[in-house]
Amino acid sequence: MGHKFRSGAAPDQVMLMPADPREWLPAGHLAWRVLELAGEMDLSRFGASYRPDGQGGRPYHPRMMATLLLYCYCRGRRSSREIEMATFDDVGARVICGGLHPDHSTVAEFVRRHLEAVLALLPESVKACAREGLVSLDLVAGDGTKLKANASMASNVTAAQLDAQIAELEDLIAAEFRQWARDMLDEDAPAPSPAGGPGNGAADGKKPKKKPKRAEQALERRKAARAQLQSRQDAKNQQELQPRIAELATRVEKKEAGVARWEAAAAARMEERARRTAAGQRIPGTRPITSAGQDREVKRARQSLARARADYDAAAQAAAPAGDPDAKVNTADPSSLVMPLKKGGFDQLHNVQALATARTQVILAIMRHPSPVDVQALPALMEKARETLLAAGITDEILSALFDAGYASDANFTLDIPAILYIAVTREARQTGRSADGRAPKTMLPSWEDMTARLGTPEGRELYRQRAATIEPVFAQLTARLGRTLNYRGGHAD
């Protein structure tokens, strides 16, 4: 090999790159594909919030910003600062932006302002995949994974602690506001000049303080956390306590009806005894009762009614608006929860659920579920997929859906949806036939027996073996590109 080396030009050499941006990237580059897809998508939602009269500052074009987000998210860049730097050091991002460089605050504000439009990109992507024939609803699979929240476990507080923090911040803001107002008045008042004459500025010569901002932001976050905690407790009451209260109310009604029947029967017996006694007939038996309350069956019925009423009152008190005094919420990210880790321990996490098509792995739904367990997420996940498909203009129904044993429950087995569910009743290795170890389900309600029989058919076994290969690579690809930390804070469920 000869002593002749290839070397690039010096950094100070001018115009080494071609002037035509179409020559900067190869024909099959991701940037060109994203630009093509953005041209096919309905991105009108991004422009709906701007003033139609054209007044105000000139913002970046929303289509350009949306395309930049799509490109950077595909490249695994989701931080607003990383997206800003991509417009400098990523040729694809430079081509998309046409040489413009939106800063990180502009990118973050764009996402915050157009959050609903950003979420609507999922149906648009499903629509684009459907045009290519990649969306088949014959078989889908769902699963969940835990992602780290952008919050510390030390930020969890109880409702009482949160109320105390809110009161303290309100007092602090009021005091700071009064001081700020006094400083502004001092600034407006004439102050002596250094020579002793009149002058302008604060009396002590110092620049007045700015209006308090950080405390107001902290107060806003605490109030959002308080609302999230109350919403969570209301949802718990609705899902867990209200059915129990309704059941106990029905029991009380039945006990009251039973007491009324026994009292009526006792009254009838007393009338019959009185009639026979008046007729001079001898009535064998024990000493006659003089009131219905002395009857043995009436006493038992009233005692049973008292116990039922006590249970009802206890359940109603537990469902009172005060909620659970030990319930906690995270002030940094109220939507996150303390959840167990797969390998032991606990952390501040999100339970992220996803549903994807078999073979092509097109994501039909992805959401956060406010519970550390998966069993309650199945109905919401299937409904979210239905909404995505309808938004994408797809009216076909999902035919079959696969879920692991984390979703096994009588409620899910009997869910009234068009799709045929295949939910594992035991651990994965045993369900797929890779291992004979493991236990059979203890609870064998009719729904469990039906699901076991469905999975035991040749078709059921063949379908369920596709579950892991369908949904688990979806999470692997997402976490490989975007990491295992969900950086966006807030109460949005999607």
Side-chain angles (χ1 to χ4, degrees):
M1 186 173 293
H3 191 71
K4 293 181 179 180
F5 304 106
R6 295 182 181 183
S7 61
D12 57 353
Q13 189 169 344
V14 182
M15 289 300 294
L16 287 178
M17 299 186 72
D20 188 351
R22 289 172 295 184
E23 300 180 14
W24 293 2
L25 296 170
H29 196 272
L30 177 63
W32 300 125
R33 184 56 180 157
V34 171
L35 283 168
E36 180 183 350
L37 289 174
E40 299 173 356
M41 290 181 176
D42 180 12
L43 302 180
S44 58
R45 292 187 180 210
F46 288 95
S49 61
Y50 295 99
R51 295 183 56 166
D53 55 11
Q55 296 185 11
R58 294 184 62 186
Y60 291 102
H61 199 288
R63 180 173 291 275
M64 182 202 80
M65 294 294 295
T67 307
L68 176 63
L69 288 177
L70 282 172
Y71 174 76
C72 289
Y73 288 167
C74 290
R75 296 296 298 269
R77 296 188 177 104
R78 61 176 177 178
S79 165
S80 58
R81 294 183 183 274
E82 289 182 344
I83 294 175
E84 177 189 359
M85 289 308 301
T87 64
F88 291 95
D89 57 27
D90 188 310
V91 179
R94 291 183 72 102
V95 169
I96 291 173
C97 293
L100 299 177
H101 305 285
D103 60 20
H104 64 90
S105 60
T106 301
V107 174
E109 175 63 19
F110 182 83
V111 175
R112 185 199 63 79
R113 184 174 184 177
H114 302 93
L115 181 59
E116 295 299 327
V118 171
L119 296 176
L121 291 175
L122 178 60
E124 289 296 324
S125 69
V126 172
K127 186 190 301 184
C129 292
R131 286 196 294 266
E132 301 294 331
L134 300 176
V135 178
S136 173
L137 302 182
D138 294 342
L139 184 65
V140 301
D143 203 354
T145 190
K146 304 294 193 304
L147 295 183
K148 178 74 174 68
N150 188 13
S152 169
M153 289 179 61
S155 299
N156 287 288
V157 295
T158 63
Q161 293 171 330
L162 190 58
D163 291 339
Q165 291 181 7
I166 291 175
E168 182 180 354
L169 284 169
E170 288 176 342
D171 294 340
L172 176 62
I173 291 173
E176 289 184 351
F177 190 86
R178 287 193 296 268
Q179 182 62 41
W180 172 78
R182 283 195 295 268
D183 292 343
M184 294 299 293
L185 292 174
D186 291 342
E187 183 186 23
D188 294 337
S193 65
N200 294 323
D204 55 2
K206 297 181 179 180
K207 187 177 181 180
K209 296 181 179 179
K210 294 182 179 181
K211 188 177 179 180
K213 290 289 186 182
R214 294 181 64 86
E216 291 180 353
Q217 295 171 355
L219 177 61
E220 184 178 353
R221 290 195 298 269
R222 297 303 189 279
K223 288 184 176 180
R226 191 69 179 90
Q228 181 77 12
L229 179 60
Q230 186 61 48
S231 175
R232 194 177 296 165
Q233 292 178 338
D234 292 344
K236 180 180 178 181
N237 291 344
Q238 187 68 25
Q239 295 177 1
E240 299 178 6
L241 298 180
Q242 292 302 328
R244 174 64 175 167
I245 291 175
E247 178 186 351
L248 291 175
T250 303
R251 184 182 300 178
V252 169
E253 292 178 359
K254 291 182 178 179
K255 298 297 182 181
E256 289 175 344
V259 170
R261 287 196 304 271
W262 286 114
E263 289 179 345
R269 287 196 298 271
M270 286 190 296
E271 291 179 0
E272 177 65 17
R273 181 180 290 273
R275 184 186 63 79
R276 294 176 64 180
T277 301
Q281 299 178 5
R282 183 177 177 276
I283 303 175
T286 59
R287 185 175 58 183
I289 59 174
T290 59
S291 66
Q294 295 177 346
D295 184 80
R296 181 177 60 181
E297 298 298 335
V298 171
K299 288 180 180 179
R300 290 178 177 175
R302 288 179 176 178
Q303 291 172 356
S304 180
L305 173 61
R307 288 193 296 270
R309 283 176 173 170
D311 293 341
Y312 174 81
D313 293 340
Q317 185 176 2
D324 184 4
D326 297 326
K328 292 186 176 182
V329 67
N330 193 283
T331 56
D333 187 356
S335 62
S336 63
L337 290 173
V338 176
M339 299 183 185
L341 295 167
K342 182 178 290 187
K343 295 184 179 180
F346 294 85
D347 205 348
Q348 200 72 30
L349 305 171
H350 291 284
N351 185 1
V352 177
Q353 300 284 320
L355 189 78
T357 60
R359 294 180 292 279
T360 56
Q361 298 175 348
V362 175
I363 298 176
L364 302 180
I366 187 164
M367 54 177 280
R368 291 180 293 180
H369 182 63
S371 173
V373 296
D374 295 337
V375 67
Q376 298 176 358
L378 193 151
L381 188 60
M382 295 297 292
E383 178 62 25
K384 189 68 177 177
R386 178 75 288 188
E387 293 175 0
T388 301
L389 290 170
L390 291 177
I394 302 174
T395 57
D396 297 340
E397 297 288 352
I398 295 174
L399 299 184
S400 301
L402 310 173
F403 294 91
D404 63 17
Y407 299 85
S409 71
D410 180 69
N412 288 338
F413 293 159
T414 57
L415 197 62
D416 184 17
I417 58 174
I420 300 175
L421 297 178
Y422 292 87
I423 306 174
V425 295
T426 183
R427 67 190 188 92
E428 189 77 5
R430 179 187 177 96
Q431 192 68 67
T432 55
R434 299 196 306 269
S435 171
D437 298 336
R439 292 186 227 170
K442 295 180 180 179
T443 306
M444 291 302 288
L445 298 173
S447 60
W448 283 75
E449 294 178 352
D450 294 343
M451 183 59 66
T452 303
R454 184 183 301 171
L455 291 166
T457 62
E459 180 187 5
R461 288 195 297 268
E462 180 63 27
L463 288 176
Y464 189 81
R465 287 193 187 99
Q466 303 179 47
R467 188 206 69 84
T470 296
I471 190 62
E472 292 182 6
V474 172
F475 287 114
Q477 294 162 12
L478 288 175
T479 54
R481 289 178 180 271
L482 303 176
R484 296 202 64 88
T485 301
L486 196 60
N487 290 320
Y488 290 107
R489 295 171 172 174
H492 208 290
D494 299 321

